[in-house]
């Protein structure tokens, strides 16, 4: 495992490289936030490539909670930095099997948009040489991944809705 530098939320505005992507999700902000902040094992239903995950411990997750996810062959150990339901959730990566960064923070924001939501994802990184090779392609690849995840999340949340009630 490669240890990353511990950064706070301000890193989303000060990191050497930052990208923010936004996409609609056809669900209420509370439902979207609940899905994003849920046990990361549930992400396997909507986030491309994520195959496993969990929060550490038995306590309800929140700021300071640890979580671990597996995406492809990479493993990430993270710490939750923000938990402001239903609008703001963020974490930093503490360790990873991929030597891609000196520091990495991801921030998720959920805003109402008509009957649905708009999700914004900020990826803030102090890249290592391995990642700098991918920098020219990063915004395109990450943007596509994020938009696909949000389309999947819309479908996933729609499938979990109870059937409409057609009473007299």
């Amino acid at each position: 495992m490669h240890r990353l530098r511990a950064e706070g939320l301000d890193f989303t505005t000060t990191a050497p490289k930052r990208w923010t992507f936004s996409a609609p999700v056809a669900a209420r902000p509370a439902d979207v936030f609940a899905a994003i902040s849920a046990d990361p094992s549930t992400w396997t239903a909507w986030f491309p490539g994520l195959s496993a995950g969990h929060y550490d411990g038995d306590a309800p997750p929140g700021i300071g909670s640890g979580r671990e996810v597996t995406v492809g062959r990479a493993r990430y150990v993270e710490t939750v930095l923000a938990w402001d339901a239903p609008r703001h959730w963020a974490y930093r990566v503490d360790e990873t099997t991929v030597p891609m960064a000196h520091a990495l923070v991801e921030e998720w924001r959920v805003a109402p948009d008509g009957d649905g939501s708009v999700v914004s994802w900020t990826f803030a990184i102090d890249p290592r040489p391995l990642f700098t090779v991918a920098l020219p392609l990063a915004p395109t690849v990450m943007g596509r991944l994020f938009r696909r995840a949000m389309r999947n999340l819309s479908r996933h949340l729609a499938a979990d809705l109870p059937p409409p009630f057609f009473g007299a």
Side-chain angles (χ1 to χ4, degrees), residues 5 7-18 124-126:
R5 188 176 66 243
E7 292 284 352
L9 281 175
D10 61 327
F11 192 66
T12 61
T13 60
T14 63
K17 295 293 177 188
R18 304 174 300 283
I125 186 169
D126 179 1

Side-chain angles (χ1 to χ4, degrees), residues 88-103:
H88 184 216
W89 183 71
Y91 56 87
R92 74 168 174 253
V93 175
D94 297 316
E95 296 180 32
T96 181
T97 56
V98 180
M100 65 186 283
H102 298 289

